[in-house]
Amino acid sequence: EDGSQSTNERLGSDRLHFPHGKSHLVVTAHNQILPCATIPRRTRQLCTINCHEGEYNELATLLLTPPGSLGLRHTFHGSHNAFSKEMCIVAGLVYLLVLLALFGVSITMGIFIPLLFAGSCFGHAAAIALGLNTTTYAIIGATAMLSGVVRVIYSLSVIVI
C-alpha cells in the first residue's frame, strides 16, 4: 500500500504542473528529446513539466499555454532569451499545420489568434537569428502572417503594429 500511496502522491503533484489539464504523454515525448532550461529573470507563467525547480520546458510553454493570452505575451513581451529560435519555429509550424488541417473542416474554431501566435513565433525566431529586437519582430511577424492568410485590410495591419 505504501508503493501505491507514493504513486498517487506523485501523480497528484504532477497534475499541479499541467496547465489546463493537458496530456502528460505529449510533453513526456518532447521532454525526452528537449532538456529543461533555466527560468530567465522577469519571465512568469512558464510550464515546468518534468523539470526541476527553477527550470522550464520551452516547447511545452509555447504549445500548451493558451495562444491568445499567455502565448502572445511570451512572444511579444517575454525575455528575449526565454525561447530558442528552434523552439519558436517548431511551435509556429505546429500551429500553422494544425490550422491548415482544420481550416476546411466544419467545426467552430478561431483563426485570428492562432495566426497571430504562429506569426509571432516566426518573427521571434527571425529576430533571435538576426540579433534584433524580439518584441518588434514578433509583432511584425504576427501582422505579416495575419495579412497574408486572412487578407485583412492594410489599415488593420497598421493598427496591430
Side-chain angles (χ1 to χ4, degrees):
E1 184 168 280
D2 290 338
S4 65
Q5 193 173 34
S6 64
T7 303
N8 286 335
E9 289 175 2
R10 185 176 48 83
L11 289 174
S13 67
D14 285 348
R15 286 189 192 115
L16 296 176
H17 294 289
F18 291 98
H20 314 291
K22 300 292 182 177
S23 173
H24 178 70
L25 294 174
V26 172
V27 179
T28 302
H30 291 295
N31 204 22
Q32 298 302 320
I33 300 168
L34 306 170
C36 296
T38 304
I39 296 177
R41 278 187 29 210
R42 296 182 33 230
T43 306
R44 298 178 310 198
Q45 298 172 335
L46 300 170
C47 291
T48 60
I49 300 172
N50 292 337
C51 295
H52 299 292
E53 185 71 31
E55 295 181 337
Y56 71 105
N57 188 320
E58 291 182 32
L59 190 59
T61 300
L62 289 172
L63 290 179
L64 297 179
T65 54
S69 56
L70 293 177
L72 288 174
R73 188 177 307 151
H74 286 312
T75 56
F76 286 171
H77 307 295
S79 176
H80 72 280
N81 60 351
F83 305 104
S84 65
K85 62 182 176 227
E86 295 85 8
M87 294 305 108
C88 289
I89 290 171
V90 168
L93 284 175
V94 166
Y95 264 84
L96 193 59
L97 291 174
V98 168
L99 279 172
L100 289 173
L102 296 178
F103 189 67
V105 180
S106 62
I107 59 172
T108 305
M109 64 173 261
I111 190 170
F112 194 84
I113 297 297
L115 278 175
L116 282 176
F117 180 70
S120 70
C121 284
F122 292 138
H124 195 91
I128 292 170
L130 299 172
L132 301 170
N133 185 354
T134 55
T135 301
T136 303
Y137 279 84
I139 293 172
I140 290 172
T143 306
M145 180 71 76
L146 189 65
S147 299
V149 175
V150 183
R151 295 187 184 181
V152 237
I153 55 176
Y154 291 111
S155 61
L156 182 60
S157 299
V158 171
I159 290 171
V160 170
I161 289 178

